[in-house]
Structures are given as C-alpha cells and as structure tokens.
Amino acid sequence: MKQSRNVSLQRFNTFGVPATASRVAQLSRVEDLARCTFMPGRDLVLGGGSNLLLTGDIEGTVFLNRMAGMRLLEDSHEGALVECASGELWHSMVLWSLAHGLCGLENLSLIPGLVGAAPIQNIGAYGVELSDVLVSVRCWDWLAGKPVEFTAEDCRLGYRTSRFKTDDANRFLVTSIRMNLARRFQPRLEYAGIEEQLGAMGVSEVTADLVSRAVIALRKRKLPDPALVGNAGSFFKNPAVTADLADTLKADFPTLPAYPAGDGRYKLSAAWMIDHCGWKGHRAGDAGVSDQHALVLVNHGTASGRELLELARRVAASVQDRFGVALEPEPVIVGAPWQESPDS
Ligand code: EPU
C-alpha cells in the first residue's frame, strides 16, 4: 500500500478547493484494508472526489480508492451478472458494459466519479437510477474489520441516498458492486431532452449506444465540465414536498416543474427555484452559481470550501424565504455541518 505525507487534495476533488491531508494511503486491493484503521471524523475515503466539498484540512488519513477490475460473472442470452471493483471510473464501466452488448446503464453515461460512490448515493440521471440494476454491494466493515455483502434491498437505496449515507455513514467502504444487465434493449426515453437529442442526431432506430451518446451530448451541453471549472454536479437535491404544498406553489408559480415522487409527495425542481431567485451566474469572489445550470455551484479559481459552503447556505436561505422549501445538499460536506448552529 503506497503512502505519503502532507498531500494537497486540490487535484483529488473536482471542486478544486485547497485542503491538505496529513497522510494519504492508496488502496489497490481488498486485502490492504485488513491492515488499516478508520476513524470517522478524522479519516476520509476518497473516490473520484466528484461529490464532496472539503471545508478544511484532513488531520488523519485519506484513503484513495484504486481498486480495479470488471468482469462478467454469469452470461446468457438474456443478460449478464457484472461485477465491478469500486475504484473503477463509473463512465468507463458504462462504456465497457455497452461494448459487451449489455444494456441498462446507457442513461447513466458520463456521470463523474468512481463505481464505489454509486451505491452510496444511488446515482441517477435521465429517468434511471443504480437501484434499477443493482444486485449486491460488497464492503469492508471498518468497525468489525471484515468484509460484508449487502443485497440491493439491504442497501436501503432512495433518491440520492442509502444506508451508507445515513445510518451507516462512514462504517463501510464499498469494495465492489454487482449488477444485472440485459441483452435486450429497453429504451427509457421519457426524461425531457432525450428524444429531442436523438432527433437532432438523426436517429431513426434507437439503440443503447445511441442513447448513451445522446446522454453524453446532453450532459456536455447542460453541465459545466469539472475539467474546465471546478464543480460537483448538482449541489442540491430536488426537494420532495407534500401534495398540498406542491398545489399551493403551483398556484403561485405555474411554471415550477413538479413530479410525483412515488410516495404521495411531489419532487420540485431545485434548479428552477434557485434560478427564479436570481442566482444563476451569481459570483461571490471565485465561488459562484453556474451560468449554465442553476443547481451547480462552481469554483472559478481560488474559492475555498468554506466560501462555497457559505454561498450554498445563502442560496438555500433565499429559496426557503421565497418558496418555504428547505434545500438539502447533495455532496458530502467534510469538516463542517450543513446547518450553521445558532451560536457559531
Ligand atoms: N431549470 C431551470 N434553470 C436551470 C436549470 C434547470 O429552471 O438553470 C429547470 C428546467 O425547468 C428543467 C428542470 O429545472 O426542466 C430540470 O432540470 P434538469 O433536467 O437539468 O434536471 P435537474 O433536476 O436539475 C437532475 C439531477 C442531475 C441529472 C439530471 C438529469 C438531481 C439533484 N440532479 O437535475 O444529476 O443529471 O436530473 O437526469 O437530482 C447530479 O446528481 O450531480 C446530477 C447532475
């Protein structure tokens, strides 16, 4: 296991904010884990760094996930059981599955980050979530010091959440995931924009590869590229509210997008509300709200994690004032609570 001291984490987080780790250890094999200890609040597991906001230095060890490998465990005319190590790039795995003639991940193309982060927040895009294909997740249990496997059901996946992000936050390190992928393509084209994009590409017969290409084009057009401007994708989740509140808001704001959340509540577009409050393109120093997509906070250069957090809190407060709706951050915030305590 390769280890280094006093390492800058700036290039390991897609916001590109400065932070230093006292120690960095690179995990390339599950066996490495038996020699490690992990203390929540002191240590940190880092995947692609695309879904976190660092607000200070890490006094303990940062574990960089470099576990690699993808394979077909079972293969038939209907489909395949695929296993992928958690340190692989999610998008590389999507392309690998498509190259093997397997369908199910095409709508999840180009999501940044590593495979290990996928079950933690049940990644989703364009009408599909990991929960649609996930079979099981293998983890290292830091507390018990041994491997453990969870069925997809045991993971308690929800909209951008799971047991790994809530009750069991920091207890498990995901080492690999297994998914059921199909040979027969079942298009999922309901999400706004996909059909239009396929039309613009002149597609007459839709395939999984073409949906993947359409999603890649859409994401490139709609979301700022972290290689060009620091960001962590959507900074806020789309809030779910009661049907009553959704009705009241729709009466006042008829163009506010609202979709049934499946549990009697309605999911509102956080981007629309933030946009409506006038934040799109706003800058406070180098911390900003993207002018491409109101849900994305960006680091124009030298913003610190604290400055981005401060801006995010102001954005959420203005949405709360205007719409009476609380926004919650999507990325993991390291080193500071989301809600400022009254005496801080
Ligand atoms: N909108 C605005 N202003 C904007 C952008 C969007 O008003 O600047 C409105 C539009 O009415 C648009 C609606 O918001 O129709 C929804 O926008 P979009 O289709 O981009 O979806 P989203 O709800 O903003 C979610 C995910 C994205 C995912 C897209 C596509 C969350 C928090 N975000 O965004 O995921 O790519 O749907 O499925 O659920 C991510 O998680 O990091 C992420 C990028």
Side-chain angles (χ1 to χ4, degrees), residues 13 30 36 44 50 124 130-131 178 222 224 231 302 328 332 334:
N13 75 95
V30 177
C36 301
L44 179 72
S50 56
L130 176 71
S131 51
R178 291 181 179 195
K222 288 198 164 189
N231 76 86
T302 60
E328 279 180 33
V332 174
V334 180

Side-chain angles (χ1 to χ4, degrees), residues 6 38 64 75 93 107 111 117 166 175 177 188 200 215 284 288 290:
N6 297 321
F38 182 89
L64 283 185
D75 200 3
M93 197 267 299
N107 293 45
I111 294 183
T166 51
T175 52
I177 68 170
R188 304 279 301 269
V215 167
S290 168

Side-chain angles (χ1 to χ4, degrees), residues 50-51 107 111-112 121 123-128 159-160 191-192 219 222-223 232-238 255 257 259 267-273 275-276 280 290-296 330:
S50 56
N51 201 46
N107 293 45
I111 294 183
Q121 63 150 4
I123 58 169
Y126 297 99
V128 175
Y159 167 59
R160 294 296 195 276
Y191 199 94
R219 290 189 73 101
K222 288 198 164 189
L223 297 166
S234 300
F235 194 88
F236 298 100
K237 295 191 228 181
N238 286 324
T255 55
Y259 313 91
K267 221 193 260 181
L268 306 176
S269 165
W272 190 95
M273 291 189 283
D275 206 345
H276 216 72
K280 199 164 171 176
S290 168
D291 58 6
Q292 253 174 291
H293 199 302
L295 204 48
V296 181
E330 197 202 81

Side-chain angles (χ1 to χ4, degrees), residues 203-282:
V203 170
S204 52
E205 203 180 319
V206 185
T207 63
D209 281 310
L210 287 166
V211 171
S212 170
R213 277 168 51 191
V215 167
I216 290 171
L218 277 173
R219 290 189 73 101
K220 283 192 169 159
R221 195 167 70 232
K222 288 198 164 189
L223 297 166
D225 180 353
L228 302 177
V229 57
N231 76 86
S234 300
F235 194 88
F236 298 100
K237 295 191 228 181
N238 286 324
V241 300
T242 60
D244 281 352
L245 179 54
D247 283 347
T248 311
L249 286 169
K250 284 294 275 183
D252 290 342
F253 307 99
T255 55
L256 167 60
Y259 313 91
D263 56 1
R265 293 184 303 162
Y266 280 78
K267 221 193 260 181
L268 306 176
S269 165
W272 190 95
M273 291 189 283
I274 295 167
D275 206 345
H276 216 72
C277 290
W279 286 105
K280 199 164 171 176
H282 176 89

Side-chain angles (χ1 to χ4, degrees), residues 185-196:
F185 172 51
Q186 283 190 304
R188 304 279 301 269
L189 309 178
E190 328 62 68
Y191 199 94
I194 300 197
E195 296 237 48
E196 292 84 338

Side-chain angles (χ1 to χ4, degrees), residues 67-250:
M67 290 184 261
M70 308 184 234
R71 59 189 176 133
L72 300 178
L73 292 176
E74 288 162 23
D75 200 3
S76 74
H77 291 304
E78 274 86 56
L81 180 64
V82 166
E83 183 177 67
C84 187
S86 58
E88 294 283 356
L89 277 175
W90 172 265
H91 183 57
S92 305
M93 197 267 299
V94 172
L95 296 180
W96 176 89
S97 70
L98 291 168
H100 280 77
L102 294 166
C103 310
L105 299 179
E106 54 280 357
N107 293 45
L108 303 178
S109 297
L110 209 61
I111 294 183
L114 302 187
V115 166
I120 293 179
Q121 63 150 4
N122 186 25
I123 58 169
Y126 297 99
V128 175
E129 290 183 333
L130 176 71
S131 51
D132 296 328
V133 293
L134 189 71
V135 174
S136 63
V137 176
R138 287 184 175 201
C139 299
W140 180 261
D141 182 345
W142 290 113
L143 205 60
K146 60 175 192 192
V148 56
E149 183 165 7
F150 296 104
T151 62
E153 201 188 357
D154 287 342
C155 294
R156 302 200 285 270
L157 303 175
Y159 167 59
R160 294 296 195 276
T161 190
S162 73
R163 69 184 297 161
F164 308 116
K165 208 175 167 182
T166 51
D167 304 345
D168 286 329
N170 287 315
R171 171 158 181 188
F172 301 103
L173 179 143
V174 175
T175 52
S176 65
I177 68 170
R178 291 181 179 195
M179 291 162 296
N180 248 333
L181 301 179
R183 293 256 166 235
R184 204 166 68 88
F185 172 51
Q186 283 190 304
R188 304 279 301 269
L189 309 178
E190 328 62 68
Y191 199 94
I194 300 197
E195 296 237 48
E196 292 84 338
Q197 181 61 37
L198 287 164
M201 285 158 53
V203 170
S204 52
E205 203 180 319
V206 185
T207 63
D209 281 310
L210 287 166
V211 171
S212 170
R213 277 168 51 191
V215 167
I216 290 171
L218 277 173
R219 290 189 73 101
K220 283 192 169 159
R221 195 167 70 232
K222 288 198 164 189
L223 297 166
D225 180 353
L228 302 177
V229 57
N231 76 86
S234 300
F235 194 88
F236 298 100
K237 295 191 228 181
N238 286 324
V241 300
T242 60
D244 281 352
L245 179 54
D247 283 347
T248 311
L249 286 169
K250 284 294 275 183

